[in-house]
């Protein structure tokens, strides 16, 4: 069993201009989480794409990416004890679990929750914006770090020191909304040799960049270790449907 981290992120680390975005979390006591939804579907992204997965969607995010497809998680949620979240998540009997959001790392109890899920024998994924320190994350967790490209509007929030805390089993995701984003991504991958250290994934913002364009840019770049990914769930279900509202939602344990 891994030790539970003692120093998770503090809300005091949030830039003052973004403080209002995390206000809902300031009243959540230790031992509880603000959860938007818990449901089972198929993993839509990462190298785990296509596998059945239970998603634990945490509420609240301090970033506002221009292309965000989960703004409904910004200010909606139910307080649950960590033990209740653990029990509900394990009750699906699924071997793959992803902590997502919102931004999961804003909530201190996410750190011990991931450890408890790993202790239960689950494969645990963490999808995080890359704006917060991943150092305290249990080493068994597969981190999917979303480096923000310029067109996201949040590029200046990338915490570059996170690159030194990633493991070879972790993944870096770039969401591409334009050729400018692609050029930036290519430069970052080369400068940091990311494709030699981690799995690097690039995906197109739905209805902003055609997948064929992204393929062409990738082939022209000569980056042979970088992988194109599609948001699989947006091709299976209607793109604007929320995760817990897709046809797999009958498998969900509703929070109400």
């Amino acid at each position: 069993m891994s030790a539970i981290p003692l120093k998770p992120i503090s809300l005091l680390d949030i830039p003052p201009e973004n403080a209002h975005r995390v206000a809902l979390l300031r009243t959540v006591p230790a031992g509880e989480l603000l959860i938007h939804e818990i449901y089972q579907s198929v993993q839509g992204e990462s190298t785990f794409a296509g596998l059945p997965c239970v998603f634990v969607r945490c509420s609240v995010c301090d970033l506002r990416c221009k292309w965000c497809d989960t703004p409904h998680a910004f200010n909606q949620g139910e307080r649950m004890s960590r033990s209740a979240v653990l029990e509900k998540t394990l009750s699906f009997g699924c071997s793959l679990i992803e902590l997502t959001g919102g931004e999961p790392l804003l909530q201190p109890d996410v750190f011990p929750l991931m450890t408890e899920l790993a202790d239960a024998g689950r494969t645990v994924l963490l999808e995080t914006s890359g704006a917060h320190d991943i150092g305290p994350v249990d080493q068994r967790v597969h981190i999917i770090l979303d480096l923000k490209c310029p067109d996201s509007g949040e590029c200046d929030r990338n915490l570059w020191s996170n690159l030194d805390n990633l493991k070879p089993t972790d993944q870096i995701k770039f969401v591409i909304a334009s050729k400018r984003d692609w050029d930036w991504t290519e430069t970052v991958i080369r400068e940091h040799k990311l494709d030699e250290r981690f799995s690097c994934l690039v995906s197109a913002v739905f209805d902003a960049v055609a997948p064929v364009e992204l393929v062409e840019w990738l082939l022209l770049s000569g980056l042979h270790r970088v992988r194109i990914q599609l948001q699989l769930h947006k091709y299976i279900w209607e793109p604007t449907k929320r995760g817990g509202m897709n046809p797999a939602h009958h498998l969900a344990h509703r929070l109400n």
Side-chain angles (χ1 to χ4, degrees):
M1 178 184 297
S2 299
I4 293 178
L6 299 178
K7 297 176 67 177
I9 184 174
S10 167
L11 292 181
L12 296 176
D13 297 331
I14 304 300
E17 63 272 18
N18 294 345
H20 63 287
R21 297 175 179 172
V22 299
L24 285 178
L25 297 180
R26 298 189 185 281
T27 58
V28 178
E32 292 190 5
L33 291 151
L34 191 64
I35 298 295
H36 185 264
E37 56 187 347
I38 302 173
Y39 63 97
Q40 182 172 251
S41 187
V42 293
Q43 179 58 246
E45 301 181 76
S46 82
T47 61
F48 294 88
L51 292 173
C53 182
V54 172
F55 294 87
V56 180
R57 186 176 302 284
C58 301
S59 301
V60 180
C61 185
D62 56 318
L63 274 61
R64 291 294 184 268
C65 296
K66 293 178 180 177
W67 37 254
C68 180
D69 57 5
T70 52
H72 47 86
F74 290 167
N75 53 21
Q76 301 175 26
E78 178 181 327
R79 275 171 43 179
M80 299 177 65
S81 68
R82 193 176 78 236
S83 61
V85 175
L86 178 67
E87 180 181 5
K88 188 178 292 290
T89 303
L90 293 178
S91 70
F92 287 94
C94 187
S95 61
L96 184 65
I97 295 167
E98 177 172 295
L99 280 292
T100 185
E103 172 49 65
L105 295 189
L106 290 174
Q107 302 198 47
D109 271 85
V110 161
F111 294 87
L113 174 62
M114 290 187 289
T115 291
E116 291 161 351
L117 289 168
D119 287 344
R122 300 309 198 258
T123 298
V124 183
L125 312 181
L126 166 69
E127 182 147 1
T128 177
S129 67
H132 303 294
D133 182 20
I134 62 171
V137 175
D138 191 301
Q139 291 292 294
R140 294 170 293 178
V141 173
H142 298 263
I143 296 172
I144 304 166
L145 189 140
D146 188 348
L147 279 180
K148 301 303 183 184
C149 299
D151 282 7
S152 72
E154 296 287 4
C155 191
D156 61 337
R157 292 295 307 280
N158 288 322
L159 185 63
W160 295 102
S161 59
N162 273 333
L163 297 181
D164 295 326
N165 288 321
L166 288 172
K167 311 175 295 296
T169 53
D170 293 331
Q171 305 178 25
I172 298 179
K173 180 176 77 169
F174 299 86
V175 179
I176 310 297
S178 65
K179 182 60 162 59
R180 179 176 76 146
D181 277 357
W182 171 258
D183 292 339
W184 180 89
T185 295
E186 183 177 350
T187 297
V188 168
I189 290 173
R190 293 188 190 281
E191 285 185 353
H192 296 276
K193 295 182 170 55
L194 297 182
D195 56 334
E196 299 176 19
R197 301 161 59 193
F198 317 107
S199 293
C200 286
L201 312 166
V202 293
S203 60
V205 174
F206 203 83
D207 288 339
V209 171
V212 67
E213 289 183 284
L214 193 52
V215 169
E216 290 170 354
W217 298 338
L218 175 60
L219 295 179
L220 287 172
S221 74
L223 292 171
H224 297 148
R225 299 184 186 92
V226 174
R227 179 182 302 194
I228 292 275
Q229 65 171 6
L230 300 175
Q231 291 181 295
L232 187 62
H233 48 289
K234 292 188 177 181
Y235 291 87
I236 297 174
W237 295 287
E238 201 279 322
T240 60
K241 284 191 180 293
R242 287 160 48 174
M245 294 174 65
N246 65 40
H249 191 51
H250 68 280
L251 297 172
H253 292 189
R254 296 175 183 269
L255 299 183
N256 296 322

